[in-house]
Amino acid sequence: MSIRLGDKTYLLIRKKLEEWEKRKGFLCLGLTIQALSKSVGVNRTYLSNFINDTYGKNFNRWVNELRVEEAKSRMESAEYSLAEIATQVGFADLAHFSKQFKLKEGVSPSVWRKKLE
């Protein structure tokens, strides 16, 4: 059951998350919803409900998708290996990155990168 957020609370959370996304706070390894709620100054339950209601996904999936999008932009350059990019965008290892990438994009990061060549 979701807690209904008032318009003021909704707008406040949205603004704070937009700023957090611009600062690329999702790149932090080991990020938790508790840490994010503290960082943006919003109650953890309100934040969780906001993410679920606004993005239609839970916190972990939302963060992983932000990380995958960042990884895709970094993959345009051949400067870094996929393992380095995985670490740069906040994944603990290449295997988890590959799993989350394929879940979102339908192909592995290496296949995605080859398409860019």
Side-chain angles (χ1 to χ4, degrees):
M1 183 169 125
S2 174
I3 295 174
R4 295 305 306 124
L5 301 175
D7 289 345
K8 240 180 169 179
T9 304
Y10 177 88
L11 291 173
L12 175 70
I13 295 172
R14 188 175 79 187
K15 182 177 187 219
K16 288 183 176 208
L17 285 184
E18 285 173 356
E19 291 168 1
W20 177 81
E21 280 186 55
K22 283 180 191 169
R23 291 190 317 268
K24 298 189 180 193
F26 54 87
L27 299 180
C28 178
L29 181 65
L31 177 68
T32 64
I33 193 164
Q34 290 85 357
L36 177 57
S37 68
K38 195 178 248 189
S39 169
V40 297
V42 173
N43 173 289
R44 183 219 169 278
T45 302
Y46 283 176
L47 181 60
S48 178
N49 287 328
F50 177 89
I51 291 168
N52 290 335
D53 294 344
T54 304
Y55 303 109
K57 52 194 81 164
N58 68 28
F59 169 78
N60 287 326
R61 185 161 180 198
W62 174 66
V63 167
N64 285 335
E65 289 185 3
L66 289 170
R67 290 172 172 171
V68 165
E69 285 303 311
E70 179 68 19
K72 285 169 36 183
S73 69
R74 293 177 185 216
M75 288 165 61
E76 292 173 8
S77 164
E79 185 177 351
Y80 299 107
S81 71
L82 292 176
E84 288 170 321
I85 291 171
T87 303
Q88 290 170 1
V89 301
F91 288 102
D93 56 56
L94 181 59
H96 186 61
F97 167 61
S98 294
K99 180 180 178 183
Q100 293 303 316
F101 193 98
K102 189 166 186 179
L103 189 66
K104 182 173 186 314
E105 299 301 330
V107 295
S108 69
S110 55
V111 169
W112 180 275
R113 190 175 231 177
K114 282 181 183 157
K115 287 183 190 177
L116 296 174
E117 294 173 356

